[in-house]
Amino acid sequence: MKKIITCTIIFSAILGCSHTQNNIELVQTDRIKVNQTEYVKPDFILDKDVKFTKGRMPASVVREDFKHLSNRQLYFLSSYALYKTYQKSLKIKDEIKSCPSFHDLMLKEDIKNKQTVNVDLSTEFTKVKDDISLAAQYPVLALPYSDQADLYSVMVQRNWENPQEHLEHALKEHYKNTEEELAQLCETGVSPGYYIYENLVTYFKQQKNFHRTKDGLKALLKVPVIANMLIVDSMSLDYKINPIEKYNTWLLSRSNTAWINEYFSTIKEKRTQRLSKNL
């Protein structure tokens, strides 16, 4: 009974309303509404009308040799690989020196030497200045710029000047928040974000009608590692052919939520189509 109550409390937090009030609301869009007193997790911007196709996406190819890894191990491996990607893109050399909870796993997977994703730090998101309806196509706009405001709100307040400087500042802020969770995982083996993921694994397996819905999407994007998948995917140059994708694929398959990749692909396609029209 105690476990059930704990699950209910944690999942209620996932679906709760945001307590941070300093972000600018956007017309024609929606927010995932993260329950937090300080702006740490990205409160992603979504289109008002988010739809998933009735047909299922082709199944991802997953490696059989990952079946022996626990959910906790996969959560860590995916989180660490995404953390290293931020580190590479920001040219940060310092990193977590000790990880007792996953030391043997890191050696076995040789995770430190895995190729990271190449990302594009372009400032194409400035197009939102003239067309707010495009905001959902740029997940980076929801990155925390401070503990009270996101990148979008700061860009509006500063009239969209020096976008590169502000993007890098927001990414560094988000990197620090990501590093804090990773440090906790390394020290204790778990984190609040991991517990949310673990509860979602159970919830999504039981509640089939929650799949491929806007509410389901919002719940998933409140899990730190999945939020990082979206951010990196939206900026990536070669994500789907990169070695670290295998960890993400298995992590999502454990909760039967690989359908979120359809959302990742959709916002990328919208940006590509718009660029093609402009050319």
Side-chain angles (χ1 to χ4, degrees), residues 15-279:
L15 297 177
C17 295
S18 173
H19 291 298
T20 55
Q21 302 295 331
N22 289 359
N23 285 335
I24 297 173
E25 291 298 323
L26 293 84
V27 295
Q28 306 174 29
T29 62
D30 192 10
R31 292 271 191 170
I32 66 172
K33 297 180 174 62
V34 181
N35 186 13
Q36 55 188 347
T37 53
E38 292 187 346
Y39 194 69
V40 177
K41 293 183 180 180
D43 195 1
F44 290 114
I45 303 162
L46 305 178
D47 288 327
K48 287 286 187 184
D49 186 22
V50 175
K51 292 182 179 178
F52 292 87
T53 58
K54 292 183 179 180
R56 299 181 63 182
M57 292 187 69
S60 301
V61 177
V62 293
R63 287 173 44 176
E64 294 296 318
D65 56 347
F66 278 86
K67 285 189 175 180
H68 69 284
L69 295 177
S70 67
N71 290 345
R72 188 168 64 92
Q73 289 173 319
L74 282 170
Y75 187 95
F76 169 77
L77 288 170
S78 183
S79 297
Y80 187 85
L82 291 161
Y83 159 78
K84 292 290 288 184
T85 294
Y86 290 135
Q87 203 172 60
K88 176 184 176 181
S89 64
L90 294 169
K91 297 180 173 58
I92 296 173
K93 293 184 179 180
D94 292 335
E95 63 177 315
I96 296 171
K97 304 297 182 185
S98 174
C99 193
S101 295
F102 298 99
H103 177 73
D104 292 341
L105 177 67
M106 291 178 73
L107 292 178
K108 185 176 180 180
E109 286 295 315
D110 194 25
I111 185 69
K112 284 192 173 183
N113 294 320
K114 286 286 192 297
Q115 180 187 350
T116 54
V117 177
N118 293 313
V119 300
D120 178 13
L121 297 181
S122 69
T123 56
E124 185 193 337
F125 61 81
T126 55
K127 296 181 184 298
V128 176
K129 176 182 179 181
D130 300 315
D131 188 353
I132 294 176
S133 67
L134 302 176
Q137 297 172 26
Y138 298 98
V140 295
L141 289 173
L143 287 173
Y145 193 89
S146 68
D147 61 5
Q148 292 297 319
D150 61 10
L151 176 60
Y152 172 79
S153 301
V154 171
M155 291 306 303
V156 171
Q157 292 165 359
R158 303 189 183 184
N159 198 30
W160 298 86
E161 295 178 354
N162 304 317
Q164 190 73 52
E165 174 187 331
H166 296 310
L167 171 61
E168 291 183 12
H169 176 94
L171 270 176
K172 286 177 181 176
E173 191 71 18
H174 183 64
Y175 168 80
K176 287 190 295 183
N177 296 333
T178 300
E179 187 175 51
E180 286 181 10
E181 185 193 21
L182 199 63
Q184 188 173 15
L185 285 167
C186 281
E187 187 64 30
T188 67
V190 293
S191 69
Y194 165 70
Y195 283 126
I196 292 174
Y197 169 75
E198 193 64 69
N199 278 283
L200 281 177
V201 170
T202 302
Y203 190 87
F204 273 100
K205 283 183 177 180
Q206 295 174 345
Q207 303 293 330
K208 303 298 183 183
N209 61 344
F210 207 53
H211 288 261
R212 307 175 73 81
T213 65
K214 188 174 183 179
D215 284 340
L217 174 65
K218 285 184 174 183
L220 286 176
L221 291 178
K222 292 173 186 177
V223 181
V225 70
I226 298 178
N228 281 325
M229 288 182 198
L230 172 60
I231 293 166
V232 170
D233 186 84
S234 70
M235 298 190 300
S236 70
L237 300 173
D238 56 3
Y239 197 38
K240 295 304 178 185
I241 60 173
N242 197 280
I244 72 169
E245 171 61 12
K246 61 190 179 183
Y247 302 129
N248 299 342
T249 298
W250 264 103
L251 192 73
L252 293 174
S253 69
R254 290 284 173 90
S255 54
N256 295 321
T257 56
W259 51 265
I260 197 173
N261 284 314
E262 181 181 332
Y263 178 72
F264 295 176
S265 298
T266 296
I267 60 175
K268 268 192 163 183
E269 287 171 5
K270 286 181 177 179
R271 290 200 305 271
T272 302
Q273 289 171 1
R274 193 185 67 257
L275 284 173
S276 298
K277 288 179 180 178
N278 291 339
L279 291 174

